[in-house]
Amino acid sequence: MGVRFGVVAAILTIGLGGCAPTPTLRNVLAKNYRGYDQLLPASGILPDEGRYQYLPGNVIALELTEPRTFEAAAVWSEKSSIYCPINIPLSALKSAKAKDAYVLHNFDLSLRQSLGFDKAKADLRLEENEIEVLRRVEISVSSARTYRLYPGQKPNFSRECFAAIAGRPDLYRLRTILAGDVRIRILFKENVSLIAKFVVANKIKSNLGFGFLNGVAQDYDATNMVFAAKVSPTKVSLTPSLTAGIKAASPHQK
């Protein structure tokens, strides 16, 4: 149901210096896009596809892989493309511009003093020798937009789809989605070999949350991707009115 780019579980951690933990994309979401949680896998937008898996209003099976904290958004992973689409294309939904975001971690600062080396290895998901070759890592989110149903706009759910998922305990409603362009820039220290750059850059990409990135050298872009959403638990039961068959469940988190 739609083209999807391969993605792995975590996002690269990028710091602001000082004694605070190095932020991940979860921290970027919590700070800049309050209420939005990370979606895995991220997916390229299909504006004219009414059966796209990340349409706002969709009912979808998700697994909570990382809970929300005060400083970090939750991470939700899609379960085997189990969802019921609203059958309204994204181009027909309400969109609004969201602010852009930018964070930087400068490794010219004393990493051992600012974070502690063991803490840095855990946050960055890199080994000691891999951290030593980095000088700077940047992440930016641009052209950010949110999408949601217009007030009074009703989904066109399929009864057959509801029959297939009714009663599942892992169903959630995507209330709003967040999309944009994500750019990652990695700057290595001098005299780092091409092999070391290749290995570390690919490990960072695999820890990034976006497995499909365009770019050359150590400058990577993922364009027009849905990577976050506001998520609410829900229940589905077959009723004469399909819309009435969607009921809010007790939230799993605040």
Side-chain angles (χ1 to χ4, degrees):
M1 294 183 181
V3 176
R4 178 166 57 195
F5 299 107
V7 186
V8 295
I11 189 103
L12 171 67
T13 53
I14 300 193
L16 302 175
C19 298
T22 304
T24 63
L25 179 62
R26 297 173 59 204
N27 301 106
V28 175
L29 288 170
K31 180 179 179 180
N32 296 279
Y33 308 103
R34 179 63 64 179
Y36 285 89
D37 293 329
Q38 186 177 357
L39 286 177
L40 293 180
S43 177
I45 282 180
L46 297 175
D48 300 317
E49 176 53 68
R51 296 178 63 81
Y52 178 57
Q53 76 266 32
Y54 287 155
L55 287 167
N58 279 8
V59 176
I60 185 169
L62 296 173
E63 179 180 5
L64 180 64
T65 52
E66 295 287 349
R68 185 185 298 173
T69 68
F70 180 77
E71 295 182 344
V75 179
W76 295 93
S77 297
E78 185 189 3
K79 286 187 172 181
S80 304
S81 296
I82 298 172
Y83 67 94
C84 287
I86 59 173
N87 291 301
I88 303 173
L90 203 62
S91 57
L93 304 180
K94 183 178 181 180
S95 68
K97 181 174 174 56
K99 65 180 180 179
D100 295 340
Y102 172 84
V103 291
L104 164 71
H105 192 75
N106 191 341
F107 292 92
D108 287 335
L109 300 174
S110 174
L111 195 62
R112 287 177 175 83
Q113 290 181 7
S114 63
L115 293 175
F117 199 67
D118 290 339
K119 179 69 166 63
K121 287 196 295 183
D123 282 347
L124 295 169
R125 297 174 182 265
L126 296 175
E127 300 300 327
E128 178 176 344
N129 62 322
E130 295 168 334
I131 291 176
E132 293 288 356
V133 304
L134 292 172
R135 183 178 297 282
R136 187 169 66 245
V137 182
E138 304 171 34
I139 180 171
S140 63
V141 178
S142 60
S143 302
R145 300 194 68 83
T146 62
Y147 295 86
R148 67 183 66 200
L149 290 166
Y150 281 103
Q153 193 173 25
K154 294 183 179 181
N156 184 24
F157 290 115
S158 160
R159 174 173 290 275
E160 290 76 15
C161 189
F162 266 21
I165 68 171
R168 289 183 64 104
D170 56 356
L171 298 178
Y172 294 83
R173 190 86 180 267
L174 302 182
R175 294 186 287 120
T176 308
I177 62 169
L178 175 65
D181 303 338
V182 178
R183 181 183 182 186
I184 308 299
R185 188 181 183 195
I186 306 167
L187 181 64
F188 290 94
K189 293 179 181 178
E190 293 82 3
N191 302 319
V192 177
S193 70
L194 291 176
I195 293 177
K197 290 180 180 180
F198 176 81
V199 171
V200 174
N202 276 283
K203 189 168 183 179
I204 286 175
K205 286 195 295 179
S206 73
N207 288 337
L208 191 73
F210 293 84
F212 184 94
L213 294 169
N214 299 313
V216 295
Q218 287 78 49
D219 202 347
Y220 305 99
D221 293 277
T223 304
N224 218 17
M225 302 289 287
V226 176
F227 57 89
K230 292 184 177 180
V231 176
S232 296
T234 192
K235 295 180 180 179
V236 170
S237 60
L238 288 177
T239 68
S241 169
L242 287 179
T243 302
I246 304 176
K247 300 179 181 179
S250 299
H252 290 184
Q253 59 183 25
K254 295 183 179 180

